[in-house]
Amino acid sequence: MKHLLLILLLAPFLFAVDFSGIWVSSIKQPDGHTDREVFVLKQTGNQLTGKVERAWGTLNIQEGSVDGSHFVIGAKTDDGYAVGYDGTLAGDKLRVTMHEPNAKTFELVAARSTTDPFLVEHVIAPPSVRDLPPNRLAKTPPMGWNSWNLFAGKIDDKTVREMADALVSSGMRDAGYIYLNIDDTWEGDRDANGVIHSNNKFPDMKALADYVHSKGLKFGIYSSPGPYTCAGYEGSYAHEEQDARTYADWGVDYLKYDWCSARRLYPDSAMRAVYQKMADALRATNRSIVYSLCQYGRDNVWTWGDKAGGNLWRTTGDINDTYRRMMEIVDTQSAIAKYAGPGHWNDPDMLEIGNGGMTPDEYRTHMSLWAIFAAPLLAGNDVSGMTEDTKSILLNKEVIAVDQDPTGMQGHRADKTGDVEYYARPLDNGDMALVVVNRAEASMSIKIPWTEMHIPPGTKVRDLWKHEGFAAGDSQPFTVPAHGSLMFRMKAPH
Ligand code: GLA
């Protein structure tokens, strides 16, 4: 009797489930790649600690608890990306619901595993750092198109060919948008010799590159110095030279190299050396390949990006198709203007123009400021079906000419009065470009203080959105719509 009572009292402990251990969920995607979610858990009483790993990085468990066979976890990356998990142990499997920050939920099933598929035990030491000479590419900021902003994981061979055709027929190529860059999710498996192959969305990468070249365009591709890319596809870690040779064989002219899962292997202080490694590998192919660093502006990349062989480097986290995010990025660009120049550019991320999340006035502000910042102009929209508004923005040759100005000096915010901001950029031949932004939520009448800006009355001014000229000092106040802007080019008095 006494024993029975004891057993009843201890039952929850005797039969309690122990979640401790490694749990792996593997989901094969239609393109052939496998998405993995790995739970490394330690249970103490009803508390859960440990981490959740994704191909691109680690989420540390902030709070985790167990109630019988149910569990709840809150986990976060070190830069604040937070995911919630809850679920049940059913038989020998974990049935999990994931709650992403964008309110989307996903179901997955994880099984016990003796090994962690994301663990890299002996990390390859990066090379010692040296100053690489310029590769003489990207004398002006690269222009082109990139698949990520609109197509993301849905990009495939057919869409790339359609975009190549449309870059030509829309006049984008002739306006300077030369690089057609495939972003993440093209990667397939490595073969027995370690050679990377494209996945089933891209049956023949060399043939695709040939097609893109036949249209008078250049061909760009994407990888990561980590074992996996940000979308969880195969990265170039431990295969840098081999991948560079494969890219050169395919006819690649541009590589975007995205930090992603490298952060699990290396501290930020190793970034320069890690990026240099791929720069060396690209140069060893003897093909001219523009090298785009993508590590979100960490470790003051603008101070070393060119020495690591980069032609451009992202200065921020990702853009999205909102005015708010676009302007958040704008606000961080002026302070680093002096680091840009021919061959090595600050990259505030790709264009969202034409993707539908901003008004035409906001997109004009986007284009005007990217030109003031001498930013790479990589369109991110469907160029096969552009509205007249989108075309008039992306194809504004006078604004493009500011972006592509041969002196390559990046502009900055020169003044701010209430909601009105003035951005200035010195141009070739003593010319100057000026963008006036109305950040208010309502339209505004703005009188430009020409004299205070040392622009003498009578100076010839060209309105780059209206495509007409006038003389400084003569103009009436301008009505600038909410979030809209004006863009002028002033001729130097000769
Ligand atoms: C990161 C980059 C993006 C894009 C995605 C692809 O988020 O910053 O520009 O390349 O990865 O996964």
Side-chain angles (χ1 to χ4, degrees):
M1 187 63 192
K2 240 206 241 146
H3 283 129
L4 190 63
L5 194 66
L6 198 65
I7 288 173
L8 280 175
L9 282 173
L10 289 175
F13 302 98
L14 287 176
F15 304 114
V17 246
D18 187 2
F19 286 83
S20 298
I22 302 172
W23 302 83
V24 178
S25 144
S26 301
I27 301 175
K28 188 111 174 144
Q29 300 297 339
D31 63 15
H33 113 278
T34 302
D35 265 342
R36 287 195 186 82
E37 194 91 8
V38 175
F39 299 82
V40 181
L41 304 180
K42 182 166 188 315
Q43 182 175 344
T44 316
N46 62 357
Q47 299 298 304
L48 278 182
T49 51
K51 58 185 176 177
V52 184
E53 291 176 296
R54 293 184 173 178
W56 49 259
T58 301
L59 298 116
N60 293 306
I61 296 180
Q62 310 290 309
E63 45 192 24
S65 60
V66 170
D67 181 3
S69 59
H70 299 277
F71 75 93
V72 181
I73 285 173
K76 232 193 214 171
T77 61
D78 54 12
D79 47 14
Y81 187 82
V83 180
Y85 301 83
D86 57 70
T88 324
L89 183 66
D92 57 355
K93 301 266 165 41
L94 276 190
R95 298 196 170 276
V96 187
T97 306
M98 303 193 313
H99 306 267
E100 294 290 324
N102 60 7
K104 286 200 180 142
T105 60
F106 299 93
E107 307 289 327
L108 52 87
V109 176
R112 275 196 189 275
S113 166
T114 47
T115 51
D116 174 351
F118 291 139
L119 187 70
V120 176
E121 266 182 282
H122 304 289
V123 176
I124 301 168
S128 46
V129 160
R130 50 185 225 288
D131 288 359
L132 266 56
N135 62 1
R136 296 204 289 273
L137 301 172
K139 288 274 161 54
T140 61
M143 289 179 67
W145 181 89
N146 173 294
S147 59
W148 187 254
N149 283 358
L150 181 64
F151 294 99
K154 296 198 179 70
I155 192 66
D156 58 10
D157 178 279
K158 180 169 168 281
T159 311
V160 169
R161 285 169 194 258
E162 283 165 12
M163 292 303 116
D165 295 347
L167 284 169
V168 178
S169 60
S170 62
M172 292 279 285
R173 178 197 64 188
D174 293 342
Y177 296 88
I178 290 292
Y179 288 94
L180 192 166
N181 296 345
I182 301 174
D183 207 279
D184 204 352
T185 79
W186 64 265
E187 309 86 343
D189 293 329
R190 293 185 183 279
D191 63 23
N193 299 320
V195 175
I196 183 90
H197 293 270
S198 47
N199 60 41
N200 60 25
K201 294 187 301 173
F202 293 92
D204 186 341
M205 211 47 127
K206 172 138 184 50
L208 182 57
D210 288 348
Y211 184 79
V212 169
H213 288 146
S214 77
K215 299 282 159 183
L217 296 162
K218 290 182 183 288
F219 186 64
I221 213 163
Y222 166 101
S223 189
S224 169
Y228 298 94
T229 66
C230 292
Y233 289 65
E234 188 73 19
S236 291
Y237 174 72
H239 295 276
E240 293 81 0
E241 289 82 10
Q242 198 172 25
D243 285 359
R245 282 196 300 274
T246 303
Y247 303 154
D249 288 348
W250 285 343
V252 165
D253 309 297
Y254 185 117
L255 174 68
K256 172 174 167 184
Y257 207 43
D258 195 349
W259 190 241
C260 307
S261 68
R263 71 175 165 187
R264 251 211 304 263
L265 276 47
Y266 300 109
D268 281 11
S269 55
M271 279 178 166
R272 178 172 168 185
V274 172
Y275 274 99
Q276 174 190 302
K277 186 171 193 181
M278 184 50 109
D280 280 332
L282 293 174
R283 289 170 186 214
T285 68
N286 283 325
R287 192 176 166 87
S288 295
I289 301 178
V290 168
Y291 188 34
S292 157
L293 315 191
C294 177
Q295 41 79 290
Y296 338 113
R298 295 173 82 110
D299 197 35
N300 297 324
V301 58
W302 36 86
T303 62
W304 53 261
D306 59 339
K307 297 182 203 133
N311 295 111
L312 60 156
W313 46 80
R314 278 272 297 279
T315 54
T316 67
D318 291 8
I319 195 169
N320 61 41
D321 192 14
T322 63
Y323 172 76
R324 195 181 143 179
R325 177 66 187 141
M326 188 267 289
M327 291 306 282
E328 255 171 33
I329 291 180
V330 164
D331 287 337
T332 59
Q333 299 310 292
S334 293
I336 52 175
K338 69 170 187 200
Y339 297 101
H344 54 97
W345 307 99
N346 285 320
D347 172 10
D349 208 357
M350 303 168 294
L351 300 171
E352 291 282 7
I353 295 161
N355 282 336
M358 298 186 225
T359 65
D361 289 318
E362 292 169 341
Y363 282 142
R364 270 186 282 277
T365 298
H366 187 4
M367 182 78 181
S368 305
L369 290 173
W370 261 236
I372 281 285
F373 291 145
L377 296 179
L378 295 166
N381 59 319
D382 179 351
V383 284
S384 73
M386 292 193 278
T387 62
E388 286 310 311
D389 263 330
T390 301
K391 275 194 210 161
S392 70
I393 298 170
L394 286 172
L395 289 166
N396 184 328
K397 295 201 173 141
E398 295 191 273
V399 174
I400 292 174
V402 171
D403 182 75
Q404 296 289 300
D405 187 82
T407 54
M409 286 179 78
Q410 177 175 332
H412 69 289
R413 192 171 79 191
D415 207 355
K416 177 176 170 72
T417 317
D419 283 325
V420 182
E421 295 181 342
Y422 297 88
Y423 294 81
R425 176 173 175 188
L427 300 173
D428 198 25
N429 226 358
D431 284 11
M432 190 182 131
L434 178 71
V435 168
V436 184
V437 183
N438 170 14
R439 290 187 78 150
E441 302 295 323
S443 96
M444 211 189 274
S445 172
I446 300 177
K447 198 156 172 37
I448 314 286
W450 300 108
T451 322
E452 284 102 284
M453 289 193 304
H454 308 288
I455 298 162
T459 304
K460 274 203 214 158
V461 183
R462 177 90 180 151
D463 183 323
L464 304 189
W465 286 111
K466 283 202 181 136
H467 304 293
E468 61 189 32
F470 61 92
D474 287 356
S475 61
Q476 296 300 308
F478 290 85
T479 304
V480 185
H483 301 171
S485 50
L486 306 165
M487 186 162 188
F488 304 120
R489 181 179 186 128
M490 270 75 67
K491 278 254 153 271
H494 284 298

